[in-house]
Amino acid sequence: MPPHLSADRPAAQPPGRGSVDALITQTRRLKGDVDAVRRDTQSEGSDPRERWQRALCDLALHQLDDLDEHLAQLRDGPPPASPEPAATPTDRPVPPAPRRGSLLSRVGSAEWNLLTDEASWSGELFEILGRDPATPPLTLDELPSLVLDDDRRQLTAMVTDCLIDAKPIDGEFRIVRPDGEVRTVHMMGEPVLDTDGSTASMWAVLRDVSELRRSQRTVSETRDSLQRHRHHAQSEHRLAVELQEAVLPPWRGSLRLPHQGPRTLDLAARHLPSSTSALIGGDWYDALELTDGATLLSVGGLTGHGVAVASGMATLLGAVRGMAMAGTQPGQLMSWLNQLLDATVQPALGSAVCCRYRPETRTLTWAQAGHPAPLLFRDGTGRRLKAPDGVLLGATSGAVYAQAEETLEVGDLLLLHTDGLVPGHSGADSVNRLLGLAPLLCGAHSAEDCVRLVVEEFGASEREDSACVLVARVTS
């Protein structure tokens, strides 16, 4: 006979009332903390993480409520015996039905006497199983009639192992109440042995765990939903990165345009990704030799993040390249870009600067759409070019974009950038910080060195959004 089933085992000593009171106080304090967290997650949003947090709080509160009630029962001692007869060798008291509506009301107890074939149920077990307390308790042979067909074999096996092999019962099964409601019941029991070591009866505690299992299913479902959401976000991030890398210019380091001719631009650029967002933005930079020997310089971006924005950026950059190769001037190019963005299925806002540089005259013709103007560095100082009129792309239909011209000199440095290049600064403050680098930039030997200086100054900081910088240096 297993030692834990011995009829001569000593009774367990109850814990001190003070220690139980301390546990109850700690439990109730923790319940208050969890409930406060739960109230903070009451929004009905569709975000998987919020749903998961709410489900976890519900589950924790269920378990803490039960712990509170059981600790109170432990502190107050065993309740008076049930008025129902219980002819058992151990004369074990059966808990009465507590007040209706308490969380402890989900726990009932029973004992089945194998010698007299009598059963004794607590009043609460009648309520759990949906039985009329005026009717006699079901015997062990009758109990499976309440259980779902799929779970009867499991219940029969647990009871058989308990009665024949003296194994404790610890399992769950689903019952169908007379009103048709299906509930999940957790049963813990053990055999009660007679003086000769034979099984005289079986005692069990049955707990309605339907709400607990519902909460656990909710937690599991929301956890799975969150995992799917994360997988989707990771897939979207990879796709956006691949799309951006495929669209942005393939050259790295310095580039000289045009490839042939006595007068050239030394070019370098860098894309600086966000350090706080896992999503890809819609910023771009570009430098392209045109059919007439001119050079196209452009930077821009779309609002938002993700694959859709990266796709929109690819569309705009492709349009810029195509129209520039066809000889379209910057102002007209901006107008058509605005029409293109306004006509898309998913309208968005964008900003851009488009420059056309003619090396034979060192003339820069440019237009802008709600974008920071290029910065010109010369002889150790820097200034912002005066911007021609131009509203954000997609802001209004039929917008007209003006052009401006600037004659450059050998040694001049032109810096184009997108918003967010200087973390924590915007507008005039951002421009002033960039202009403050004039002595260093004008003393650099190449456009690549200039980009490196900008990145060392501003690129290593935590940035909320991505940014691009493009430097063009007039070498001859």
Side-chain angles (χ1 to χ4, degrees):
M1 179 188 322
H4 70 281
L5 295 177
S6 171
D8 299 326
R9 63 181 183 273
Q13 296 298 318
R17 183 184 181 94
S19 62
V20 176
D21 283 337
L23 286 174
I24 292 175
T25 300
Q26 293 176 17
T27 301
R28 292 177 179 175
R29 183 182 300 116
L30 183 56
K31 282 168 55 182
D33 293 339
V34 174
D35 190 50
V37 174
R38 184 181 184 277
R39 288 195 300 270
D40 289 338
T41 59
Q42 281 300 303
S43 63
E44 296 297 327
S46 59
D47 181 63
R49 185 180 298 276
E50 292 182 0
R51 294 199 304 270
W52 188 35
Q53 290 174 341
R54 288 196 297 272
L56 285 175
C57 288
D58 288 338
L59 178 59
L61 286 173
H62 277 308
Q63 299 193 39
L64 288 171
D65 282 336
D66 289 345
L67 178 61
D68 188 8
E69 293 283 354
H70 290 305
L71 285 172
Q73 185 184 35
L74 179 63
R75 177 194 61 194
D76 298 338
S82 169
E84 299 174 2
T88 65
T90 57
D91 203 21
R92 188 189 308 270
V94 179
R99 65 187 185 278
R100 185 172 182 83
S102 73
L103 289 168
L104 188 58
S105 67
R106 291 182 292 168
V107 180
S109 60
E111 190 152 4
W112 288 275
N113 192 312
L114 303 183
L115 303 180
T116 63
D117 200 27
E118 292 179 319
S120 174
W121 286 7
S122 70
E124 194 51 38
L125 186 54
F126 281 93
E127 183 177 344
I128 290 174
L129 301 182
R131 303 282 296 178
D132 184 353
T135 62
L138 298 181
T139 66
L140 283 178
D141 292 333
E142 297 170 331
L143 185 62
S145 65
L146 301 179
V147 180
L148 283 180
D149 293 343
D150 292 343
D151 295 353
R152 285 178 185 171
R153 184 188 299 272
Q154 178 183 352
L155 174 62
T156 301
M158 288 191 301
V159 172
T160 301
D161 290 342
C162 179
L163 299 181
I164 296 179
D165 299 326
K167 293 182 179 180
I169 291 177
D170 188 354
E172 294 182 6
F173 50 88
R174 292 164 297 171
I175 59 100
V176 182
R177 293 161 53 98
D179 59 4
E181 182 182 10
V182 177
R183 306 293 291 178
T184 302
V185 176
H186 182 215
M187 183 176 185
M188 297 184 67
E190 60 181 23
V192 178
L193 305 179
D194 207 345
T195 54
D196 61 357
S198 61
T199 302
S201 63
M202 190 187 83
W203 176 82
V205 170
L206 295 93
R207 182 184 181 200
D208 184 348
V209 295
S210 303
E211 296 304 316
L212 179 61
R213 295 298 171 255
R214 180 198 60 79
S215 297
Q216 290 174 331
R217 284 194 301 273
T218 302
V219 169
S220 178
E221 291 169 358
T222 51
R223 182 176 59 244
D224 293 343
S225 176
L226 180 60
Q227 290 174 347
R228 290 193 298 271
H229 178 77
R230 287 174 175 170
H231 178 72
H232 176 75
Q234 291 169 354
S235 299
E236 180 176 294
H237 179 267
R238 286 195 300 269
L239 180 58
V241 169
E242 293 172 359
L243 181 58
Q244 187 180 64
E245 290 178 349
V247 172
L248 290 180
W251 50 271
R252 298 292 183 269
S254 295
L255 175 71
R256 288 184 178 271
L257 292 178
H259 294 296
Q260 296 180 351
R263 297 181 176 182
T264 60
L265 291 177
D266 175 24
L267 300 164
R270 190 76 58 86
H271 174 263
L272 304 175
S274 168
S275 58
T276 59
S277 174
L279 296 178
I280 298 298
D283 291 341
W284 85 77
Y285 65 87
D286 197 22
L288 182 67
E289 183 177 356
L290 304 178
T291 55
D292 61 358
T295 296
L296 169 73
L297 304 176
S298 70
V299 296
L302 285 179
T303 57
H305 300 85
V307 174
V309 171
S311 177
M313 177 268 289
T315 300
L316 286 187
L317 184 52
V320 169
R321 290 170 174 171
M323 287 187 286
M325 290 295 287
T328 306
Q329 292 300 307
Q332 183 61 60
L333 189 152
M334 288 295 180
S335 296
W336 288 345
L337 276 186
N338 182 66
Q339 291 182 29
L340 175 64
L341 195 58
D342 186 56
T344 55
V345 177
Q346 295 179 330
L349 292 177
S351 68
V353 164
C354 182
C355 306
R356 187 181 183 93
Y357 176 71
R358 299 192 64 82
E360 63 273 15
T361 60
R362 299 195 186 97
T363 302
L364 184 78
T365 303
W366 66 286
Q368 64 84 28
H371 199 88
L375 305 181
L376 177 61
F377 296 87
R378 178 184 294 170
D379 298 331
T381 62
R383 64 182 175 89
R384 178 171 55 183
L385 298 185
K386 185 177 180 180
D389 292 338
V391 299
L392 285 170
L393 298 174
T396 181
S397 300
V400 176
Y401 295 84
Q403 292 184 169
E405 285 192 0
E406 188 78 23
T407 300
L408 304 184
E409 300 177 1
V410 175
D412 281 356
L413 193 74
L414 198 66
L415 188 151
L416 283 66
H417 66 96
T418 60
D419 289 325
L421 178 60
V422 182
H425 300 272
S426 60
D429 190 22
S430 174
V431 170
N432 290 334
R433 291 179 67 87
L434 287 168
L435 293 176
L437 297 178
L440 294 175
L441 296 178
C442 290
H445 296 292
S446 67
E448 178 65 18
D449 288 340
C450 293
V451 169
R452 186 181 300 111
L453 286 170
V454 173
V455 172
E456 289 176 353
E457 185 71 20
F458 304 118
S461 304
E462 292 290 322
R463 58 178 59 254
E464 294 183 0
D465 209 348
S466 59
C468 292
V469 56
L470 186 153
V471 171
R473 185 168 172 265
V474 181
T475 59
S476 60

